[in-house]
Short mmCIF file of all heavy atoms in Angstrom, two decimals:
data_model
loop_
_atom_site.label_atom_id
_atom_site.label_comp_id
_atom_site.label_asym_id
_atom_site.label_seq_id
_atom_site.Cartn_x
_atom_site.Cartn_y
_atom_site.Cartn_z
N PRO A 227 81.71 108.26 100.76
CA PRO A 227 82.27 108.24 102.12
C PRO A 227 81.17 108.41 103.16
O PRO A 227 80.17 109.09 102.91
CB PRO A 227 83.24 109.42 102.13
CG PRO A 227 82.77 110.31 101.02
CD PRO A 227 82.21 109.41 99.97
N PRO A 228 81.34 107.81 104.34
CA PRO A 228 80.32 107.94 105.38
C PRO A 228 80.10 109.41 105.76
O PRO A 228 81.04 110.21 105.77
CB PRO A 228 80.89 107.15 106.55
CG PRO A 228 81.89 106.22 105.93
CD PRO A 228 82.46 106.95 104.76
N CYS A 229 78.85 109.73 106.06
CA CYS A 229 78.50 111.07 106.55
C CYS A 229 77.60 110.87 107.76
O CYS A 229 76.41 110.60 107.63
CB CYS A 229 77.79 111.87 105.46
SG CYS A 229 77.49 113.61 105.89
N THR A 230 78.19 110.97 108.95
CA THR A 230 77.51 110.59 110.18
C THR A 230 77.64 111.68 111.23
O THR A 230 78.47 112.59 111.13
CB THR A 230 78.10 109.29 110.74
OG1 THR A 230 79.46 109.53 111.14
CG2 THR A 230 78.08 108.18 109.70
N THR A 231 76.83 111.54 112.26
CA THR A 231 76.97 112.43 113.41
C THR A 231 78.34 112.23 114.06
O THR A 231 79.00 113.20 114.48
CB THR A 231 75.86 112.15 114.44
OG1 THR A 231 74.58 112.34 113.82
CG2 THR A 231 75.99 113.07 115.64
N ALA A 232 78.80 110.98 114.13
CA ALA A 232 80.07 110.67 114.78
C ALA A 232 81.25 111.33 114.10
O ALA A 232 82.17 111.81 114.78
CB ALA A 232 80.26 109.15 114.84
N ASN A 233 81.26 111.36 112.77
CA ASN A 233 82.40 111.98 112.08
C ASN A 233 82.16 113.46 111.78
O ASN A 233 82.94 114.09 111.05
CB ASN A 233 82.79 111.22 110.81
CG ASN A 233 81.76 111.31 109.70
OD1 ASN A 233 80.82 112.11 109.74
ND2 ASN A 233 81.92 110.46 108.69
N LYS A 234 81.08 114.01 112.32
CA LYS A 234 80.73 115.43 112.25
C LYS A 234 80.41 115.90 110.83
O LYS A 234 80.42 117.11 110.55
CB LYS A 234 81.83 116.30 112.87
CG LYS A 234 82.06 116.00 114.34
CD LYS A 234 83.10 116.92 114.96
CE LYS A 234 83.27 116.59 116.45
NZ LYS A 234 84.28 117.48 117.09
N CYS A 235 80.11 114.96 109.95
CA CYS A 235 79.67 115.33 108.61
C CYS A 235 78.17 115.61 108.60
O CYS A 235 77.71 116.48 107.86
CB CYS A 235 79.99 114.20 107.63
SG CYS A 235 79.30 114.38 105.98
N PHE A 236 77.40 114.90 109.42
CA PHE A 236 75.94 115.01 109.45
C PHE A 236 75.50 115.59 110.77
O PHE A 236 75.97 115.18 111.84
CB PHE A 236 75.32 113.62 109.25
CG PHE A 236 73.82 113.60 109.30
CD1 PHE A 236 73.07 113.94 108.20
CD2 PHE A 236 73.16 113.22 110.47
CE1 PHE A 236 71.68 113.91 108.25
CE2 PHE A 236 71.77 113.18 110.52
CZ PHE A 236 71.03 113.53 109.41
N LYS A 237 74.59 116.55 110.72
CA LYS A 237 74.05 117.15 111.94
C LYS A 237 72.55 117.36 111.75
O LYS A 237 72.12 118.00 110.79
CB LYS A 237 74.73 118.48 112.25
CG LYS A 237 74.29 119.11 113.57
CD LYS A 237 75.08 120.38 113.86
CE LYS A 237 74.73 120.97 115.22
NZ LYS A 237 75.51 122.20 115.51
N LYS A 238 71.78 116.83 112.68
CA LYS A 238 70.33 116.97 112.65
C LYS A 238 69.89 117.83 113.83
O LYS A 238 70.29 117.59 114.98
CB LYS A 238 69.69 115.58 112.72
CG LYS A 238 68.18 115.58 112.91
CD LYS A 238 67.69 114.13 112.97
CE LYS A 238 66.29 114.02 113.56
NZ LYS A 238 65.82 112.62 113.61
N VAL A 239 69.07 118.86 113.54
CA VAL A 239 68.59 119.76 114.59
C VAL A 239 67.11 120.05 114.37
O VAL A 239 66.57 119.84 113.28
CB VAL A 239 69.37 121.10 114.61
CG1 VAL A 239 70.86 120.86 114.88
CG2 VAL A 239 69.18 121.86 113.31
N ASN A 240 66.46 120.55 115.42
CA ASN A 240 65.08 121.01 115.26
C ASN A 240 65.10 122.46 114.76
O ASN A 240 66.17 123.03 114.51
CB ASN A 240 64.28 120.85 116.56
CG ASN A 240 64.80 121.73 117.69
OD1 ASN A 240 65.54 122.70 117.49
ND2 ASN A 240 64.42 121.39 118.92
N GLN A 241 63.93 123.05 114.59
CA GLN A 241 63.90 124.38 113.97
C GLN A 241 64.52 125.46 114.85
O GLN A 241 64.84 126.56 114.37
CB GLN A 241 62.48 124.77 113.59
CG GLN A 241 61.56 125.15 114.72
CD GLN A 241 60.20 125.61 114.21
OE1 GLN A 241 59.60 124.97 113.36
NE2 GLN A 241 59.71 126.72 114.74
N ASP A 242 64.75 125.16 116.14
CA ASP A 242 65.43 126.09 117.03
C ASP A 242 66.92 125.84 117.11
O ASP A 242 67.62 126.49 117.89
CB ASP A 242 64.81 126.02 118.43
CG ASP A 242 63.34 126.45 118.43
OD1 ASP A 242 63.02 127.44 117.74
OD2 ASP A 242 62.54 125.79 119.10
N GLY A 243 67.40 124.85 116.35
CA GLY A 243 68.83 124.56 116.33
C GLY A 243 69.29 123.58 117.37
O GLY A 243 70.50 123.40 117.55
N GLU A 244 68.37 122.89 118.05
CA GLU A 244 68.73 121.94 119.10
C GLU A 244 68.85 120.53 118.54
O GLU A 244 68.05 120.11 117.70
CB GLU A 244 67.64 121.94 120.19
CG GLU A 244 67.39 123.29 120.82
CD GLU A 244 66.11 123.31 121.66
OE1 GLU A 244 65.23 122.46 121.43
OE2 GLU A 244 66.02 124.19 122.53
N GLN A 245 69.85 119.81 119.04
CA GLN A 245 69.98 118.40 118.68
C GLN A 245 69.16 117.57 119.66
O GLN A 245 69.67 116.98 120.60
CB GLN A 245 71.46 117.98 118.69
CG GLN A 245 72.25 118.59 117.55
CD GLN A 245 73.68 118.12 117.52
OE1 GLN A 245 74.51 118.55 118.32
NE2 GLN A 245 73.98 117.22 116.58
N GLY A 246 67.87 117.54 119.41
CA GLY A 246 66.91 116.89 120.30
C GLY A 246 65.61 117.65 120.26
O GLY A 246 65.47 118.66 119.55
N ASN A 247 64.62 117.17 121.02
CA ASN A 247 63.30 117.80 121.03
C ASN A 247 62.74 117.93 119.62
O ASN A 247 62.21 118.98 119.23
CB ASN A 247 63.36 119.18 121.69
CG ASN A 247 63.79 119.11 123.14
OD1 ASN A 247 63.32 118.26 123.89
ND2 ASN A 247 64.69 120.00 123.53
N TYR A 248 62.85 116.84 118.86
CA TYR A 248 62.42 116.88 117.47
C TYR A 248 60.89 116.84 117.37
O TYR A 248 60.21 116.36 118.28
CB TYR A 248 63.02 115.70 116.71
CG TYR A 248 64.52 115.72 116.68
CD1 TYR A 248 65.26 114.70 117.29
CD2 TYR A 248 65.22 116.77 116.09
CE1 TYR A 248 66.65 114.72 117.28
CE2 TYR A 248 66.60 116.80 116.08
CZ TYR A 248 67.31 115.78 116.68
OH TYR A 248 68.69 115.82 116.68
N PRO A 249 60.35 117.34 116.28
CA PRO A 249 58.90 117.27 116.10
C PRO A 249 58.42 115.84 115.90
O PRO A 249 59.23 114.91 115.78
CB PRO A 249 58.66 118.12 114.84
CG PRO A 249 59.96 118.06 114.10
CD PRO A 249 61.03 118.00 115.15
N ALA A 250 57.13 115.67 115.85
CA ALA A 250 56.56 114.34 115.64
C ALA A 250 56.90 113.84 114.24
O ALA A 250 57.00 114.62 113.30
CB ALA A 250 55.04 114.38 115.82
N PRO A 251 57.07 112.53 114.06
CA PRO A 251 57.34 111.99 112.73
C PRO A 251 56.12 112.13 111.81
O PRO A 251 54.99 112.24 112.27
CB PRO A 251 57.65 110.51 113.00
CG PRO A 251 57.97 110.43 114.45
CD PRO A 251 57.15 111.50 115.10
N ASN A 252 56.40 112.11 110.52
CA ASN A 252 55.35 112.13 109.51
C ASN A 252 55.82 111.27 108.35
O ASN A 252 56.82 111.59 107.69
CB ASN A 252 55.10 113.57 109.05
CG ASN A 252 54.00 113.68 108.01
OD1 ASN A 252 54.08 113.07 106.94
ND2 ASN A 252 52.99 114.49 108.29
N PRO A 253 55.14 110.14 108.05
CA PRO A 253 55.66 109.20 107.04
C PRO A 253 55.77 109.80 105.65
O PRO A 253 56.65 109.41 104.87
CB PRO A 253 54.66 108.04 107.08
CG PRO A 253 53.44 108.59 107.74
CD PRO A 253 53.92 109.63 108.69
N ASP A 254 54.90 110.75 105.30
CA ASP A 254 54.99 111.37 103.99
C ASP A 254 56.26 112.20 103.87
O ASP A 254 57.02 112.08 102.91
CB ASP A 254 53.77 112.26 103.73
CG ASP A 254 52.50 111.45 103.58
OD1 ASP A 254 52.59 110.22 103.48
OD2 ASP A 254 51.41 112.06 103.58
N TRP A 255 56.50 113.05 104.86
CA TRP A 255 57.68 113.89 104.81
C TRP A 255 58.97 113.10 105.02
O TRP A 255 60.04 113.54 104.61
CB TRP A 255 57.57 115.01 105.84
CG TRP A 255 56.71 116.14 105.37
CD1 TRP A 255 55.35 116.19 105.38
CD2 TRP A 255 57.15 117.38 104.80
NE1 TRP A 255 54.92 117.39 104.85
CE2 TRP A 255 56.00 118.14 104.50
CE3 TRP A 255 58.40 117.93 104.53
CZ2 TRP A 255 56.06 119.42 103.93
CZ3 TRP A 255 58.48 119.21 103.96
CH2 TRP A 255 57.32 119.93 103.67
N GLU A 256 58.89 111.92 105.64
CA GLU A 256 60.09 111.10 105.81
C GLU A 256 60.69 110.73 104.46
O GLU A 256 61.92 110.78 104.28
CB GLU A 256 59.75 109.83 106.60
CG GLU A 256 59.55 110.06 108.08
CD GLU A 256 59.15 108.79 108.80
OE1 GLU A 256 59.49 107.69 108.32
OE2 GLU A 256 58.49 108.89 109.85
N LEU A 257 59.87 110.35 103.50
CA LEU A 257 60.39 110.02 102.18
C LEU A 257 61.01 111.25 101.52
O LEU A 257 62.06 111.18 100.88
CB LEU A 257 59.30 109.42 101.30
CG LEU A 257 59.79 108.83 99.97
CD1 LEU A 257 59.09 107.53 99.66
CD2 LEU A 257 59.60 109.81 98.82
N GLU A 258 60.36 112.40 101.66
CA GLU A 258 60.91 113.65 101.14
C GLU A 258 62.28 113.93 101.74
O GLU A 258 63.22 114.32 101.03
CB GLU A 258 59.96 114.80 101.46
CG GLU A 258 60.53 116.19 101.25
CD GLU A 258 60.82 116.51 99.80
OE1 GLU A 258 59.98 116.20 98.96
OE2 GLU A 258 61.90 117.05 99.52
N GLU A 259 62.42 113.71 103.02
CA GLU A 259 63.68 114.00 103.70
C GLU A 259 64.79 113.07 103.24
O GLU A 259 65.94 113.51 103.03
CB GLU A 259 63.44 113.94 105.21
CG GLU A 259 62.59 115.11 105.69
CD GLU A 259 61.84 114.87 106.99
OE1 GLU A 259 61.72 113.72 107.44
OE2 GLU A 259 61.35 115.87 107.56
N SER A 260 64.47 111.81 103.03
CA SER A 260 65.47 110.88 102.49
C SER A 260 65.90 111.31 101.10
O SER A 260 67.10 111.28 100.76
CB SER A 260 64.89 109.46 102.43
OG SER A 260 64.69 108.94 103.73
N LEU A 261 64.94 111.72 100.27
CA LEU A 261 65.26 112.22 98.93
C LEU A 261 66.24 113.38 98.99
O LEU A 261 67.27 113.39 98.30
CB LEU A 261 63.96 112.64 98.24
CG LEU A 261 64.08 113.55 97.01
CD1 LEU A 261 64.88 112.89 95.91
CD2 LEU A 261 62.69 113.94 96.52
N ASP A 262 65.95 114.36 99.82
CA ASP A 262 66.81 115.55 99.90
C ASP A 262 68.23 115.20 100.34
O ASP A 262 69.21 115.67 99.76
CB ASP A 262 66.20 116.55 100.87
CG ASP A 262 64.93 117.18 100.36
OD1 ASP A 262 64.71 117.17 99.14
OD2 ASP A 262 64.15 117.70 101.19
N LEU A 263 68.33 114.38 101.37
CA LEU A 263 69.66 114.01 101.89
C LEU A 263 70.44 113.20 100.86
O LEU A 263 71.66 113.38 100.71
CB LEU A 263 69.50 113.23 103.19
CG LEU A 263 68.84 113.97 104.36
CD1 LEU A 263 68.58 113.02 105.51
CD2 LEU A 263 69.69 115.16 104.81
N ASP A 264 69.76 112.32 100.15
CA ASP A 264 70.44 111.49 99.15
C ASP A 264 70.94 112.34 97.98
O ASP A 264 72.01 112.08 97.43
CB ASP A 264 69.50 110.40 98.64
CG ASP A 264 69.23 109.32 99.68
OD1 ASP A 264 69.87 109.36 100.74
OD2 ASP A 264 68.36 108.47 99.42
N MET A 265 70.17 113.36 97.58
CA MET A 265 70.62 114.19 96.44
C MET A 265 71.84 115.03 96.81
O MET A 265 72.73 115.24 95.98
CB MET A 265 69.47 115.08 95.97
CG MET A 265 68.35 114.32 95.25
SD MET A 265 68.92 113.31 93.86
CE MET A 265 69.07 111.68 94.63
N VAL A 266 71.91 115.51 98.03
CA VAL A 266 73.13 116.21 98.45
C VAL A 266 74.31 115.26 98.38
O VAL A 266 75.40 115.61 97.87
CB VAL A 266 72.98 116.78 99.88
CG1 VAL A 266 74.30 117.44 100.32
CG2 VAL A 266 71.84 117.78 99.95
N SER A 267 74.13 114.04 98.86
CA SER A 267 75.20 113.04 98.84
C SER A 267 75.63 112.72 97.41
O SER A 267 76.82 112.54 97.14
CB SER A 267 74.73 111.77 99.54
OG SER A 267 74.39 112.03 100.89
#
């Protein structure tokens, strides 16, 4: 089933809990983050 911000299943925040003001991207950690999210799913 979809898990999105719109259906309130998915929520992305920075380390202070804000939805915005995210840190700079990092291509190495991006793959790690996809792995983690996919395993929960």
